[in-house]
């Protein structure tokens, strides 16, 4: 019998420290066969005690490799040139990447077959394998980092009287059926790789910074700290209803909270970029990475349709009573501005979702309708007649009258014609 190493054949005179590496490489690639008792040149040297060697190989596969490869391997005794050898057959596994159990999902513990060699892979290759084999959304996939801690998250769960033991983590999907932390666990861990960036500007442009801050750690920690930071910029104003003083914030606290939670819960974590919160003198922008889930439109969202991109994270936030029910956040943001002429806006890009909260006018503000239109033009470079109808909640006839008066006063000018008609500041 002739033996020769190839991309699918490995020869071993004895079972050494590299044995599990060869098994892993075949399982992560296209499968193969390992012959024990045959040296690198193909010469049969045999094994002294076949049962003992087979038992040792079985223990290596069961205890030294994760996930479980037992169903994808077989160990058989054979006779070659009158000597006893062991044939180990390894099939391509269904839960790649397989790795050395005590090292975790690290490049130094994951191997693939390349020619006649078993070589370590890169982190990018590991991520690709996880996507291919798990076939699930980001938060449900196995996490690359299996050395996670949850100090902040445990405190939040404890405050809400929600258990956070291993069994609870499994039921929440933070630990999968094979005992791996999922990416949902990574997002809630102290080692979370994503962040929220806040920037405060001098006016309603990005020309000059006043302050900036970045928040790290568990997304629960980021939400708490970012909300507190935004509130520092959310001035409180007072009006009087008779003898009673009524306090109002520049931005409804409920709207700020919902916009922030929406950005964190529904962002696309396959992107490494940060959530951006831009605080201007007249508005706050919440820029979430990733557009809407495929098949969902802005009209669907406005109607209350909910399809969470990160279902596990959404469920955790629901359990912690951070979100009250699915699909109502956008509607409630709008409701918090029901007494205002200028409403929040929602813009969808190929890889972004932007929620803009305008600064509220006090209830007793005497802003005229013409001033409201000019304020709108401070936020938007160009507006249409329908924009004015929406902002003022008025008829087409009234909107046209206001436009004509502003044109007569030389405040705005008309651009385009027909359906393409727009108005801008002179």
């Amino acid at each position: 019998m002739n033996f020769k190493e190839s991309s699918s054949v490995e020869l071993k005179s004895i079972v050494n420290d590299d044995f599990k590496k060869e098994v892993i490489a075949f399982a992560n690639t296209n499968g193969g066969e390992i012959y024990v008792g045959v040296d690198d040149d193909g010469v049969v040297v045999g094994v002294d005690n076949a049962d003992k060697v087979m038992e040792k190989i079985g223990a290596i596969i069961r205890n030294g490799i994760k996930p479980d490869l037992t169903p994808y391997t077989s160990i058989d005794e054979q006779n070659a040139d009158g000597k006893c050898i062991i044939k180990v057959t390894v099939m391509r596994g269904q839960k790649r990447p397989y790795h050395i159990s005590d090292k975790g999902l690290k490049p130094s513990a994951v191997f693939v077959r390349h020619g006649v060699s078993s070589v370590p892979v890169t982190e990018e290759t590991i991520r690709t394998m996880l996507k291919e084999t798990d076939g699930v959304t980001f938060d449900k996939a196995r996490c690359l980092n299996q050395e996670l801690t949850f100090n902040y998250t445990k405190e939040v769960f404890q405050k809400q009287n929600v258990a956070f033991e291993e069994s609870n983590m499994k039921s929440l999907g933070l630990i999968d059926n094979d005992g791996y932390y999922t990416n949902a666990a990574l997002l809630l861990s102290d080692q979370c790789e994503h962040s929220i960036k806040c920037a405060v500007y001098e006016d309603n442009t990005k020309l000059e910074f006043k302050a900036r801050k970045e928040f790290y750690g568990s997304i629960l920690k980021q939400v708490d700290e970012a909300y507190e930071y935004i509130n520092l910029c959310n001035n409180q104003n007072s009006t009087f209803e008779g003898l009673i003083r009524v306090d109002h914030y520049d931005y409804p606290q409920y709207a700020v909270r919902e916009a922030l939670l929406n950005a964190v819960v529904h962002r696309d974590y396959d992107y490494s970029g940060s959530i951006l919160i831009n605080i201007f003198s007249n508005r706050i922008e919440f820029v979430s990475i990733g557009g809407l889930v495929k098949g969902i439109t802005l009209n669907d969202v406005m109607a209350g349709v909910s399809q969470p991109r990160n279902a596990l994270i959404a469920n955790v936030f629901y359990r912690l009573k951070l979100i009250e029910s699915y699909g109502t956040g956008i509607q409630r943001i709008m409701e918090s501005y029901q007494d205002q002429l200028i409403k929040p806006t929602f813009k969808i890009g190929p890889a972004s979702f932007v929620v803009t909260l305008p600064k509220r006018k006090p209830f007793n503000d005497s802003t005229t309708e013409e001033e409201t239109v000019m304020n709108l033009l401070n936020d938007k470079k160009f507006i249409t007649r329908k924009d004015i109808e929406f902002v003022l909640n008025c008829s087409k006839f009234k909107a046209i009258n206001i436009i004509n008066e502003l044109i007569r006063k030389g405040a705005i000018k008309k651009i385009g014609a027909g359906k393409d008609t727009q108005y801008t500041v002179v």
Side-chain angles (χ1 to χ4, degrees):
M1 186 180 291
N2 295 321
F3 294 95
K4 184 179 180 180
E5 288 192 337
S6 68
S7 61
S8 59
V9 175
E10 176 70 23
L11 305 178
K12 292 281 187 187
S13 57
I14 59 173
V15 177
N16 57 18
D17 292 337
D18 285 341
F19 190 83
K20 67 179 94 174
K21 179 177 78 173
E22 314 297 352
V23 175
I24 289 170
F26 282 135
N28 282 334
T29 315
N30 295 312
E33 298 169 344
I34 304 172
Y35 292 92
V36 181
V38 183
D39 68 18
D40 292 342
D41 296 326
V43 176
V44 178
V45 296
V47 296
D48 293 332
N49 189 328
D51 288 341
K52 187 174 181 180
V53 173
M54 292 172 71
E55 184 178 336
K56 183 177 182 179
I57 293 171
I60 288 174
I61 293 173
R62 288 191 304 275
N63 304 321
I65 299 172
K66 280 188 172 184
D68 183 16
L69 253 181
T70 306
Y72 303 99
T73 56
S74 62
I75 308 170
D76 302 298
E77 180 182 346
Q78 291 188 350
N79 186 286
D81 298 341
K83 297 178 181 178
C84 178
I85 64 172
I86 306 300
K87 177 184 177 182
V88 180
T89 303
V90 182
M91 293 186 290
R92 177 180 169 91
Q94 298 299 310
K95 293 187 176 181
R96 300 179 305 280
Y98 293 90
H99 60 91
I100 297 173
S101 59
D102 57 2
K103 287 189 176 183
L105 285 168
K106 299 177 181 178
S108 60
V110 180
F111 304 89
V112 293
R113 194 71 175 176
H114 189 260
V116 296
S117 303
S118 298
V119 297
V121 301
T122 63
E123 283 193 359
E124 186 58 37
T125 300
I126 294 176
R127 290 191 181 95
T128 300
M129 286 186 187
L130 289 170
K131 274 190 175 182
E132 290 175 349
T133 57
D134 287 355
V136 294
T137 56
F138 175 87
D139 62 341
K140 294 180 181 178
R142 284 171 284 171
C143 175
L144 209 60
N145 183 357
Q146 292 293 313
E147 298 175 1
L148 305 178
T149 58
F150 303 91
N151 295 323
Y152 194 89
T153 294
K154 285 179 179 178
E155 290 180 9
V156 175
F157 271 71
Q158 187 175 12
K159 286 178 183 177
Q160 294 295 334
N161 293 318
V162 180
F164 195 71
E165 304 299 329
E166 184 174 335
S167 59
N168 308 111
M169 295 179 73
K170 286 182 177 179
S171 66
L172 290 169
L174 308 184
I175 298 177
D176 69 12
N177 292 331
D178 294 308
Y180 288 91
Y181 286 128
T182 62
N183 281 327
L186 173 65
L187 296 176
L188 294 168
S189 75
D190 305 314
Q191 290 73 34
C192 178
E193 299 167 350
H194 298 81
S195 68
I196 297 176
K197 293 180 179 179
C198 286
V200 184
Y201 297 93
E202 285 286 356
D203 51 30
N204 59 4
T205 70
K206 292 185 178 181
L207 295 178
E208 191 173 348
F209 278 107
K210 285 178 66 177
R212 64 181 76 185
K213 183 82 171 178
E214 188 165 6
F215 303 100
Y216 302 94
S218 165
I219 56 174
L220 294 173
K221 180 172 181 283
Q222 293 182 40
V223 165
D224 287 343
E225 293 181 349
Y227 182 71
E228 186 175 325
Y229 187 77
I230 295 169
N231 270 342
L232 293 176
C233 305
N234 194 3
N235 298 319
Q236 191 178 49
N237 305 292
S238 299
T239 58
F240 287 88
E241 297 178 4
L243 297 176
I244 306 300
R245 190 181 81 169
V246 181
D247 295 326
H248 310 284
Y249 287 93
D250 285 344
Y251 304 93
Q253 289 184 304
Y254 187 88
V256 170
R257 178 176 176 276
E258 287 297 320
L260 176 60
L261 289 171
N262 181 76
V264 171
V265 172
H266 299 298
R267 70 153 285 176
D268 189 341
Y269 286 99
D270 276 321
Y271 292 90
S272 59
S274 301
I275 292 170
L276 305 177
I277 301 173
N278 300 315
I279 305 174
F280 299 93
S281 61
N282 64 346
R283 69 193 187 278
I284 301 178
E285 293 178 351
F286 295 82
V287 184
S288 181
I289 307 300
L292 291 177
V293 175
K294 187 177 180 180
I296 301 296
T297 68
L298 181 57
N299 287 337
D300 294 327
V301 173
M302 298 297 287
V305 175
S306 177
Q307 179 60 47
R309 176 180 276 111
N310 308 296
L312 297 182
I313 293 300
N315 184 47
V316 168
F317 276 57
Y318 177 75
R319 291 283 298 275
L320 293 173
K321 298 180 181 178
L322 290 169
I323 55 178
E324 296 179 13
S325 58
Y326 299 122
T328 62
I330 298 298
Q331 292 174 319
R332 294 190 178 192
I333 288 175
M334 296 303 293
E335 288 171 2
S336 66
Y337 276 84
Q338 62 185 353
D339 63 320
Q340 298 291 304
L341 290 174
I342 301 179
K343 309 292 185 182
T345 60
F346 308 92
K347 292 182 181 178
I348 302 170
S352 65
F353 186 91
V354 183
V355 178
T356 301
L357 303 180
K359 187 175 181 179
R360 291 197 305 183
K361 297 290 184 183
F363 291 140
N364 63 348
D365 187 77
S366 58
T367 304
T368 66
E369 291 172 332
E370 290 182 5
E371 287 173 334
T372 299
V373 172
M374 296 308 296
N375 286 338
L376 181 61
L377 277 168
N378 286 332
D379 296 330
K380 300 171 68 174
K381 191 173 181 181
F382 300 97
I383 62 173
T384 65
R385 188 200 75 239
K386 288 189 176 180
D387 289 331
I388 296 173
E389 291 176 24
F390 177 76
V391 167
L392 297 179
N393 191 26
C394 67
S395 67
K396 174 182 175 181
F397 178 77
K398 185 170 184 178
I400 291 174
N401 284 339
I402 293 171
I403 289 169
N404 290 337
E405 183 62 20
L406 288 171
I407 291 175
R408 187 188 68 78
K409 291 179 178 178
I412 66 174
K413 62 182 178 180
K414 178 181 176 182
I415 297 176
K419 293 182 178 179
D420 296 324
T421 299
Q422 290 183 309
Y423 303 92
T424 188
V425 176
V426 173

